[in-house]
Amino acid sequence: MKTQMITIDIGESLDYNVFATKQVIDLCKQIKSLSCFIHCSTAYSHCQRQDVDEKLYKVNTNPSELLKMAEWLPSATLDQLSLHLMEGRPNTYTYTKALAEQLVEYECQE
């Protein structure tokens, strides 16, 4: 299987996939009558794995902490850091989708 190369810098990808997910979760927590929250991710969030089962795989980075770092780190530094954080993933899209999945798990345990 060939993986599509998506060239989005890590800051932009964090905004689209992790920060936006956090905003939706925060909004949902304010809705008193909400009975269900469904997060649809992508099959490619753990594409670096040989086998992918229907389960949540942990990412070695805390998504909330990375969002905080992205607020003050220069873009070039964040891009360099991302090369070490992506755990073998081919691009920032798949990495930040995996982070968003983990964020949902952390934030929605209540």
Side-chain angles (χ1 to χ4, degrees), residues 1 42-57 89 101:
M1 173 195 225
T42 176
Y44 297 105
S45 58
H46 297 283
C47 62
Q48 82 286 6
R49 298 181 59 87
Q50 185 70 23
D51 296 309
V52 178
D53 295 317
E54 289 191 39
K55 69 177 202 171
L56 186 65
Y57 292 97
R89 289 177 183 82
E101 289 176 5

PDB file of all heavy atoms in Angstrom, residues 1 42-57 89 101:
ATOM      1  N   MET A   1       0.836  -1.168   0.000  1.00  0.00           N
ATOM      2  CA  MET A   1       0.000   0.000   0.000  1.00  0.00           C
ATOM      3  C   MET A   1       0.887   1.239   0.000  1.00  0.00           C
ATOM      4  O   MET A   1       1.777   1.369   0.820  1.00  0.00           O
ATOM      5  CB  MET A   1      -0.878  -0.011   1.244  1.00  0.00           C
ATOM      6  CG  MET A   1      -1.658   1.241   1.429  1.00  0.00           C
ATOM      7  SD  MET A   1      -2.275   1.233   3.108  1.00  0.00           S
ATOM      8  CE  MET A   1      -3.874   1.714   2.973  1.00  0.00           C
ATOM      9  N   THR A  42      -9.495   8.373  11.116  1.00  0.00           N
ATOM     10  CA  THR A  42      -9.077   7.844   9.819  1.00  0.00           C
ATOM     11  C   THR A  42      -8.356   6.509  10.020  1.00  0.00           C
ATOM     12  O   THR A  42      -7.738   6.292  11.060  1.00  0.00           O
ATOM     13  CB  THR A  42      -8.150   8.834   9.079  1.00  0.00           C
ATOM     14  OG1 THR A  42      -7.704   8.239   7.861  1.00  0.00           O
ATOM     15  CG2 THR A  42      -6.942   9.216   9.913  1.00  0.00           C
ATOM     16  N   ALA A  43      -8.427   5.679   9.054  1.00  0.00           N
ATOM     17  CA  ALA A  43      -7.728   4.390   9.130  1.00  0.00           C
ATOM     18  C   ALA A  43      -6.221   4.570   9.057  1.00  0.00           C
ATOM     19  O   ALA A  43      -5.469   3.657   9.368  1.00  0.00           O
ATOM     20  CB  ALA A  43      -8.195   3.492   7.991  1.00  0.00           C
ATOM     21  N   TYR A  44      -5.767   5.758   8.683  1.00  0.00           N
ATOM     22  CA  TYR A  44      -4.339   5.985   8.482  1.00  0.00           C
ATOM     23  C   TYR A  44      -3.619   6.555   9.704  1.00  0.00           C
ATOM     24  O   TYR A  44      -2.422   6.797   9.653  1.00  0.00           O
ATOM     25  CB  TYR A  44      -4.122   6.919   7.289  1.00  0.00           C
ATOM     26  CG  TYR A  44      -4.625   6.321   6.013  1.00  0.00           C
ATOM     27  CD1 TYR A  44      -5.804   6.768   5.433  1.00  0.00           C
ATOM     28  CD2 TYR A  44      -3.945   5.274   5.398  1.00  0.00           C
ATOM     29  CE1 TYR A  44      -6.280   6.201   4.261  1.00  0.00           C
ATOM     30  CE2 TYR A  44      -4.416   4.701   4.237  1.00  0.00           C
ATOM     31  CZ  TYR A  44      -5.582   5.168   3.676  1.00  0.00           C
ATOM     32  OH  TYR A  44      -6.049   4.605   2.533  1.00  0.00           O
ATOM     33  N   SER A  45      -4.312   6.756  10.815  1.00  0.00           N
ATOM     34  CA  SER A  45      -3.667   7.382  11.974  1.00  0.00           C
ATOM     35  C   SER A  45      -2.549   6.518  12.561  1.00  0.00           C
ATOM     36  O   SER A  45      -1.672   7.032  13.245  1.00  0.00           O
ATOM     37  CB  SER A  45      -4.700   7.730  13.043  1.00  0.00           C
ATOM     38  OG  SER A  45      -5.403   6.590  13.450  1.00  0.00           O
ATOM     39  N   HIS A  46      -2.563   5.230  12.286  1.00  0.00           N
ATOM     40  CA  HIS A  46      -1.498   4.339  12.768  1.00  0.00           C
ATOM     41  C   HIS A  46      -0.934   3.519  11.612  1.00  0.00           C
ATOM     42  O   HIS A  46      -0.652   2.329  11.737  1.00  0.00           O
ATOM     43  CB  HIS A  46      -2.019   3.440  13.896  1.00  0.00           C
ATOM     44  CG  HIS A  46      -2.433   4.243  15.076  1.00  0.00           C
ATOM     45  ND1 HIS A  46      -1.535   4.783  15.966  1.00  0.00           N
ATOM     46  CD2 HIS A  46      -3.656   4.654  15.493  1.00  0.00           C
ATOM     47  CE1 HIS A  46      -2.168   5.469  16.888  1.00  0.00           C
ATOM     48  NE2 HIS A  46      -3.451   5.411  16.617  1.00  0.00           N
ATOM     49  N   CYS A  47      -0.749   4.187  10.489  1.00  0.00           N
ATOM     50  CA  CYS A  47      -0.306   3.518   9.265  1.00  0.00           C
ATOM     51  C   CYS A  47       1.128   2.987   9.357  1.00  0.00           C
ATOM     52  O   CYS A  47       1.533   2.175   8.527  1.00  0.00           O
ATOM     53  CB  CYS A  47      -0.430   4.454   8.070  1.00  0.00           C
ATOM     54  SG  CYS A  47       0.592   5.928   8.198  1.00  0.00           S
ATOM     55  N   GLN A  48       1.878   3.406  10.361  1.00  0.00           N
ATOM     56  CA  GLN A  48       3.248   2.918  10.520  1.00  0.00           C
ATOM     57  C   GLN A  48       3.282   1.507  11.097  1.00  0.00           C
ATOM     58  O   GLN A  48       4.308   0.838  11.058  1.00  0.00           O
ATOM     59  CB  GLN A  48       4.059   3.887  11.399  1.00  0.00           C
ATOM     60  CG  GLN A  48       3.886   3.734  12.890  1.00  0.00           C
ATOM     61  CD  GLN A  48       2.569   4.253  13.466  1.00  0.00           C
ATOM     62  OE1 GLN A  48       1.674   4.659  12.746  1.00  0.00           O
ATOM     63  NE2 GLN A  48       2.448   4.224  14.774  1.00  0.00           N
ATOM     64  N   ARG A  49       2.167   1.035  11.613  1.00  0.00           N
ATOM     65  CA  ARG A  49       2.098  -0.306  12.205  1.00  0.00           C
ATOM     66  C   ARG A  49       1.909  -1.358  11.108  1.00  0.00           C
ATOM     67  O   ARG A  49       1.231  -1.114  10.114  1.00  0.00           O
ATOM     68  CB  ARG A  49       0.937  -0.383  13.194  1.00  0.00           C
ATOM     69  CG  ARG A  49       1.080   0.568  14.378  1.00  0.00           C
ATOM     70  CD  ARG A  49      -0.086   0.414  15.334  1.00  0.00           C
ATOM     71  NE  ARG A  49      -0.172  -0.950  15.839  1.00  0.00           N
ATOM     72  CZ  ARG A  49       0.478  -1.405  16.912  1.00  0.00           C
ATOM     73  NH1 ARG A  49       1.258  -0.603  17.588  1.00  0.00           N
ATOM     74  NH2 ARG A  49       0.348  -2.651  17.293  1.00  0.00           N
ATOM     75  N   GLN A  50       2.452  -2.515  11.337  1.00  0.00           N
ATOM     76  CA  GLN A  50       2.283  -3.626  10.405  1.00  0.00           C
ATOM     77  C   GLN A  50       0.832  -4.109  10.389  1.00  0.00           C
ATOM     78  O   GLN A  50       0.263  -4.346   9.338  1.00  0.00           O
ATOM     79  CB  GLN A  50       3.217  -4.783  10.802  1.00  0.00           C
ATOM     80  CG  GLN A  50       3.222  -5.937   9.854  1.00  0.00           C
ATOM     81  CD  GLN A  50       3.882  -5.605   8.520  1.00  0.00           C
ATOM     82  OE1 GLN A  50       4.682  -4.693   8.417  1.00  0.00           O
ATOM     83  NE2 GLN A  50       3.532  -6.343   7.494  1.00  0.00           N
ATOM     84  N   ASP A  51       0.255  -4.273  11.579  1.00  0.00           N
ATOM     85  CA  ASP A  51      -1.140  -4.690  11.719  1.00  0.00           C
ATOM     86  C   ASP A  51      -1.880  -3.645  12.529  1.00  0.00           C
ATOM     87  O   ASP A  51      -1.370  -3.140  13.524  1.00  0.00           O
ATOM     88  CB  ASP A  51      -1.228  -6.033  12.461  1.00  0.00           C
ATOM     89  CG  ASP A  51      -0.571  -7.160  11.671  1.00  0.00           C
ATOM     90  OD1 ASP A  51      -0.901  -7.302  10.482  1.00  0.00           O
ATOM     91  OD2 ASP A  51       0.264  -7.877  12.253  1.00  0.00           O
ATOM     92  N   VAL A  52      -3.094  -3.342  12.107  1.00  0.00           N
ATOM     93  CA  VAL A  52      -3.909  -2.370  12.824  1.00  0.00           C
ATOM     94  C   VAL A  52      -5.245  -3.029  13.155  1.00  0.00           C
ATOM     95  O   VAL A  52      -5.989  -3.433  12.261  1.00  0.00           O
ATOM     96  CB  VAL A  52      -4.143  -1.092  11.988  1.00  0.00           C
ATOM     97  CG1 VAL A  52      -5.025  -0.109  12.740  1.00  0.00           C
ATOM     98  CG2 VAL A  52      -2.821  -0.450  11.617  1.00  0.00           C
ATOM     99  N   ASP A  53      -5.504  -3.161  14.447  1.00  0.00           N
ATOM    100  CA  ASP A  53      -6.773  -3.710  14.908  1.00  0.00           C
ATOM    101  C   ASP A  53      -7.728  -2.561  15.221  1.00  0.00           C
ATOM    102  O   ASP A  53      -7.330  -1.402  15.276  1.00  0.00           O
ATOM    103  CB  ASP A  53      -6.549  -4.549  16.179  1.00  0.00           C
ATOM    104  CG  ASP A  53      -5.689  -5.776  15.917  1.00  0.00           C
ATOM    105  OD1 ASP A  53      -5.911  -6.443  14.893  1.00  0.00           O
ATOM    106  OD2 ASP A  53      -4.801  -6.054  16.747  1.00  0.00           O
ATOM    107  N   GLU A  54      -8.976  -2.893  15.457  1.00  0.00           N
ATOM    108  CA  GLU A  54      -9.964  -1.881  15.822  1.00  0.00           C
ATOM    109  C   GLU A  54      -9.864  -1.605  17.311  1.00  0.00           C
ATOM    110  O   GLU A  54     -10.668  -2.078  18.108  1.00  0.00           O
ATOM    111  CB  GLU A  54     -11.366  -2.334  15.424  1.00  0.00           C
ATOM    112  CG  GLU A  54     -11.561  -2.321  13.931  1.00  0.00           C
ATOM    113  CD  GLU A  54     -13.012  -2.507  13.551  1.00  0.00           C
ATOM    114  OE1 GLU A  54     -13.898  -1.960  14.236  1.00  0.00           O
ATOM    115  OE2 GLU A  54     -13.253  -3.203  12.566  1.00  0.00           O
ATOM    116  N   LYS A  55      -8.830  -0.860  17.666  1.00  0.00           N
ATOM    117  CA  LYS A  55      -8.614  -0.469  19.047  1.00  0.00           C
ATOM    118  C   LYS A  55      -7.828   0.827  19.056  1.00  0.00           C
ATOM    119  O   LYS A  55      -7.291   1.244  18.022  1.00  0.00           O
ATOM    120  CB  LYS A  55      -7.862  -1.555  19.820  1.00  0.00           C
ATOM    121  CG  LYS A  55      -6.418  -1.752  19.418  1.00  0.00           C
ATOM    122  CD  LYS A  55      -5.758  -2.801  20.287  1.00  0.00           C
ATOM    123  CE  LYS A  55      -4.254  -2.631  20.282  1.00  0.00           C
ATOM    124  NZ  LYS A  55      -3.602  -3.485  21.252  1.00  0.00           N
ATOM    125  N   LEU A  56      -7.756   1.441  20.210  1.00  0.00           N
ATOM    126  CA  LEU A  56      -7.024   2.680  20.346  1.00  0.00           C
ATOM    127  C   LEU A  56      -5.568   2.380  20.663  1.00  0.00           C
ATOM    128  O   LEU A  56      -5.272   1.673  21.631  1.00  0.00           O
ATOM    129  CB  LEU A  56      -7.637   3.539  21.454  1.00  0.00           C
ATOM    130  CG  LEU A  56      -7.048   4.924  21.604  1.00  0.00           C
ATOM    131  CD1 LEU A  56      -7.334   5.761  20.363  1.00  0.00           C
ATOM    132  CD2 LEU A  56      -7.624   5.599  22.825  1.00  0.00           C
ATOM    133  N   TYR A  57      -4.664   2.892  19.852  1.00  0.00           N
ATOM    134  CA  TYR A  57      -3.234   2.752  20.090  1.00  0.00           C
ATOM    135  C   TYR A  57      -2.718   4.033  20.733  1.00  0.00           C
ATOM    136  O   TYR A  57      -3.080   5.132  20.317  1.00  0.00           O
ATOM    137  CB  TYR A  57      -2.481   2.494  18.779  1.00  0.00           C
ATOM    138  CG  TYR A  57      -2.790   1.148  18.176  1.00  0.00           C
ATOM    139  CD1 TYR A  57      -3.739   1.012  17.178  1.00  0.00           C
ATOM    140  CD2 TYR A  57      -2.138   0.012  18.626  1.00  0.00           C
ATOM    141  CE1 TYR A  57      -4.028  -0.226  16.626  1.00  0.00           C
ATOM    142  CE2 TYR A  57      -2.415  -1.237  18.079  1.00  0.00           C
ATOM    143  CZ  TYR A  57      -3.365  -1.342  17.075  1.00  0.00           C
ATOM    144  OH  TYR A  57      -3.651  -2.574  16.535  1.00  0.00           O
ATOM    145  N   ARG A  89       5.507   7.666  11.455  1.00  0.00           N
ATOM    146  CA  ARG A  89       4.434   8.023  10.525  1.00  0.00           C
ATOM    147  C   ARG A  89       5.010   8.849   9.381  1.00  0.00           C
ATOM    148  O   ARG A  89       5.962   9.582   9.564  1.00  0.00           O
ATOM    149  CB  ARG A  89       3.335   8.799  11.255  1.00  0.00           C
ATOM    150  CG  ARG A  89       2.555   7.930  12.191  1.00  0.00           C
ATOM    151  CD  ARG A  89       1.519   8.752  12.961  1.00  0.00           C
ATOM    152  NE  ARG A  89       0.833   7.898  13.908  1.00  0.00           N
ATOM    153  CZ  ARG A  89       1.316   7.585  15.112  1.00  0.00           C
ATOM    154  NH1 ARG A  89       2.471   8.072  15.515  1.00  0.00           N
ATOM    155  NH2 ARG A  89       0.634   6.790  15.912  1.00  0.00           N
ATOM    156  N   GLU A 101      -7.170  11.278  18.381  1.00  0.00           N
ATOM    157  CA  GLU A 101      -7.813  10.087  18.945  1.00  0.00           C
ATOM    158  C   GLU A 101      -7.477   9.956  20.433  1.00  0.00           C
ATOM    159  O   GLU A 101      -8.343   9.660  21.256  1.00  0.00           O
ATOM    160  CB  GLU A 101      -7.356   8.829  18.209  1.00  0.00           C
ATOM    161  CG  GLU A 101      -7.891   8.699  16.813  1.00  0.00           C
ATOM    162  CD  GLU A 101      -7.341   7.480  16.083  1.00  0.00           C
ATOM    163  OE1 GLU A 101      -6.602   6.675  16.691  1.00  0.00           O
ATOM    164  OE2 GLU A 101      -7.665   7.329  14.894  1.00  0.00           O
TER     165      GLU A 101
END
